[in-house]
Amino acid sequence: MCGVVGYVGDRDCAEVLVDALSKLEYRGYDSAGIAVFENGTIKVDKCKGRLSNLVEKMAQDGKPDGHCGIGHTRWATHGEPSDINSHPHGNKRVTIVHNGIIENYKQLKDFLISEGYSFVSETDTETVAKLLDYYYNGDPFETIAKVIAEIKGSYALGIMFRDFPDRIFAVRKDSPLIVGVGEHENFLASDVPAIIHYTRDFYLLEQNEIAIVTKENVKIYDVHKNEIHKELNTADWDVDAAEKGGYEHFMLKEIHEQPTAVKTTITPRITNHMPDFSSEKITAEELKNYNNIFIVACGTAMHAGMVGKYVIEKLARKSVTVDMASEFRYRNPIINENDLMIVISQSGETADTKAAMQIAKNVGATTLAVVNVKGSSIAREADKVIYTHAGPEISVASTKAYMVQISVMYLLAFEIAYANGKITREQCEEYTRNLEEMPDIIEEAILLNEKCQFVASKLINADSLLYIGRGLDYALSMEGSLKLKEISYIHSESYAAGELKHGTISLITDEMPVIAVATQQDLVEKTISNIKEVKARGAMVILICAQEVEIEDSVADEIIRLPQAEQLLMPMVAAVPLQLVAYYTSVLKGNDVDKPRNLAKSVTVE
Ligand code: F6R
């Protein structure tokens, strides 16, 4: 949440900052701003709204002319989106951009007011800027060290001191920040896509490390000013990965990237058609021996966990508890050192997921993170990590990350089931082979594009929708419903089909479309009965089902028939039309698909 960037070099700083921010808008887009050294002073330009508003404003007012500066794109936490609350904050002497939350800002603000400071914004960030000013003694490093000893909470800070116009300073705790290393130019960024155009090389800043970044140098210190010599990381992402590549939206591009993402994720974890997590140092033996398995995540990642639960329980006969991280944290969970917690996160920075993982660590349980962003906090803090290789996911609505997360869940389920003696080696090989075929089948599912567009056209006037399914199809319908509501702004709920009669069916009218997912042969008859029940009450029904299911066309108003695949793996196929229906509904409603209102990609607040 919130994107931070910085630049020092020969290029036009304002241009680089705006370009870098455009790659981070997925982190927040309530407002944007930059600060650039111009003739020895700090010039700030900022305004409410999208980055494009800032660009327009600078086109009118004149953009700052300089080579060193910082920038920010905001997802509001303290104070509404407004020009005043936009970052950067500070005064003529110290100016900062911030991602995170300062928990003790009220006390600090009271103290600073008592010292004669006045505040213009409602943000927690302004307190940090003023505190830096208060402690400033001509030595930026000492000043920063003093301030971080006093502030509580999370922060990734880009800092400029007027007296040092050739450099920017950075420090982070619990919010990500990297320092990009170029030739005669260096960068700051919350995430790799911001800098990939300019350099692939970067340092990951660890907790409370302070970086001093000039055109020729990057120096990183601990709080006692001991220099730290860090390993340089190299991003293996394609430069085009952070671009739309001819697609109208990132979401559509990312839906199309799913076959490759799955292939790249599963191939290194399969040897001779058997799951193989040896490079992650995860053995079948240990997976078998955990007492209980917990899967904890948020949103879409939690829905991937639901699929994981069904397949692990079905194949391995091991009980799995799935929790929303925000609930797990506060329900005093019964977990101990013999248990395994699998946390799933695209960003690896989600605050609730991180905190839930910490609970498991505190009791000595083993933590296994399934994470997309390399070097993210969750990946670094977990005992073991399985990286998904989806590449950067820019669209706020997650698609390819979900797909690769479930592909990993399948492989883990096969491994645990085989280790547990619940499936034979032949069966395990068979399942794994089926999984290896999925990239091609997902490709086929993407061809349902036009049909999904047509279905979307029938949904755009609905005020509310219901998604129903049973078993794995229920897990899928949860994801379908979330996808639709977050980008189309149409209210929708997912419901276990068998539960409808216990209350929810009273909502059904001819104005409430129902999307039924029925891919599981053993449950299809039951779901068809539920479809008949809602249809009899006037609902327009869209059925997503397997190719081979024998049903009369009249059962539903529209039927989306999926390409054939092993039944257990059908969620990977059915997810595609669910994503496409949500996508086209949003497009047809004229919404900003990639940046839905009120949301941000990386939820680093609780
Ligand atoms: C929905 C979506 C969110 C995320 C959730 C967790 O499309 O993307 O629900 O899945 O915020 O984020 P990560 O996976 O980064 O922990």
Side-chain angles (χ1 to χ4, degrees), residues 298-301 344-347 350 396-398 405 482-483 486 603:
C298 298
T300 289
I344 308 178
S345 177
Q346 188 285 128
S347 62
T350 303
V396 166
S398 179
Q405 285 159 356
L482 174 64
K483 212 81 310 162
E486 72 178 313
V603 186

Side-chain angles (χ1 to χ4, degrees), residues 26 249-254 346 392-400 487 583 593-596 601:
Y26 68 86
H249 299 101
F250 278 111
M251 183 175 175
L252 189 60
K253 174 179 178 242
E254 288 162 7
Q346 188 285 128
E393 191 178 60
I394 308 287
S395 156
V396 166
S398 179
T399 53
K400 61 177 178 171
I487 56 172
Y583 170 76
V593 179
D594 289 330
K595 298 185 195 111
K601 182 90 187 142

